[in-house]
Amino acid sequence: MTARWPGDHPYFVPRTGDRHDPLLVAETMRQATMLICHAEFGVPADDQFVMWDLSYGAVAGELTRTGGPTEITVDLLCSDIRTRGRGLREMRTALVLSRDGRRLASGGGGINCTSAPAYRRMRGARMAVLADSVPLLPALPPHLVGRDREKDVVLAPGDAPGRWRLRVDTTHPTLFRRPNDHVPGMMLLEAARQAAVAATADPGLLPVGLDARFHRYVELDEPCWFEAEVLTGLDRDTVTVQVFAHQGGAAVLDCTLISPRRVPAAASLAPAARTAD
């Protein structure tokens, strides 16, 4: 399938400026997987998807922005497919994203599909949080988490160094495109990225590698805490940060992010030359 990355997105724009935000890789993987579920497996539009794990590795030099929309070719392989009756229950996906014939990123993940009635039974009273207002916490200064606008900050000050509280804004046009009874997975990944930026004091952090595990739903109306640790001695050319999140005393997310210490030069966008056999 084909994905189109906008040349100037109001949210997915890293502080480096000349590169696409690597989290667009994760967002593309999410949307491509959902598209395949609906178009090829007949999953109804009101069914719920749960993402349990997601990982990707991107090539920093291939993330160059051209100023206009960028067309990405997405190859997706489905495996470990399990069904319930005639419906899809769960599966794993492996994806390769390429541009102009060159690999830009690859990754994969696992999802579950739950019918709308089963989801309502499972979530029960939690569904009522959709109608409740979630108090908006004070934001960390945007420059500390690699953002330009306070509205895009998803972390609030914590109670100890290297510890922050999740800041949930249910009116955010990108993170909450529709009403939700729990915190979306992409918001948790953004919180992990912002925690990594704060921990490294590097607003230009470029998470070209990401490996995330989601353990349970993150509720909107309970405190969720993020902690980050910069790992040392692994690779002098990269920075690795481990981020953990917990709510109500239980782990909800662990995520490892990898960024080059120095972002390499952008790759040429000219198609690769072909040679005769």
Side-chain angles (χ1 to χ4, degrees):
M1 68 202 79
T2 299
R4 176 171 292 181
W5 288 0
D8 187 18
H9 195 280
Y11 189 77
F12 289 106
V13 179
R15 290 291 291 269
T16 49
D18 62 340
R19 310 297 169 111
H20 285 287
D21 184 347
L23 285 191
L24 271 172
V25 174
E27 177 63 10
T28 302
M29 293 169 58
R30 184 187 73 85
Q31 291 191 25
T33 300
M34 291 177 64
L35 174 61
I36 289 297
C37 288
H38 293 310
E40 300 298 331
F41 289 93
V43 174
D46 60 350
D47 276 16
Q48 295 288 328
F49 294 94
V50 178
M51 179 169 55
W52 291 114
D53 64 276
L54 182 148
S55 62
Y56 70 75
V59 181
E62 297 292 343
L63 292 170
T64 310
R65 297 170 63 198
T66 62
T70 299
E71 291 208 343
I72 307 295
T73 299
V74 182
D75 292 299
L76 186 150
L77 173 68
C78 302
S79 65
D80 299 330
I81 300 169
R82 297 184 180 181
T83 58
R84 180 188 291 110
R86 295 183 179 180
L88 178 67
R89 178 180 179 183
E90 63 182 78
M91 71 176 180
R92 296 199 62 79
T93 58
L95 301 93
V96 175
L97 280 60
S98 57
R99 176 169 67 160
D100 297 328
R102 293 193 299 266
R103 180 176 296 206
L104 185 153
S106 59
I111 65 161
N112 279 26
C113 297
T114 305
S115 69
Y119 185 80
R120 286 193 294 269
R121 290 194 300 270
M122 178 175 62
R123 295 291 287 160
R126 281 293 178 185
M127 296 289 290
V129 178
L130 281 169
D132 294 342
S133 60
V134 178
L136 186 60
L137 301 175
L140 288 174
H143 70 276
L144 293 183
V145 293
R147 283 293 175 179
D148 294 322
R149 305 183 305 174
E150 181 177 294
K151 184 173 182 62
D152 295 332
V153 177
V154 297
L155 294 180
D159 54 6
R163 176 179 160 97
W164 308 273
R165 184 172 167 183
L166 185 65
R167 179 178 185 260
V168 178
D169 180 1
T170 56
T171 68
H172 195 283
T174 299
L175 297 176
F176 283 86
R177 297 181 65 89
R178 60 179 178 81
N180 211 326
D181 66 299
H182 61 272
V183 178
M186 285 302 299
M187 182 177 181
L188 297 177
L189 294 184
E190 174 61 21
R193 186 248 295 274
Q194 292 189 17
V197 171
T200 58
D202 179 9
L205 186 87
L206 195 71
V208 296
L210 182 145
D211 187 1
R213 298 289 184 272
F214 303 89
H215 302 296
R216 53 178 289 188
Y217 289 110
V218 175
E219 309 298 348
L220 297 171
D221 57 350
E222 296 181 14
C224 180
W225 298 95
F226 277 74
E227 299 180 33
E229 178 184 3
V230 181
L231 304 184
T232 59
L234 298 181
D235 185 344
R236 64 182 181 181
D237 295 325
T238 61
V239 176
T240 301
V241 184
Q242 280 192 332
V243 178
F244 302 95
H246 57 91
Q247 185 176 65
V252 294
L253 169 73
D254 57 80
C255 183
T256 302
L257 302 96
I258 300 174
S259 170
R261 290 188 185 275
R262 298 182 63 182
V263 178
S268 168
L269 297 179
R274 293 188 177 185
T275 58
D277 293 330

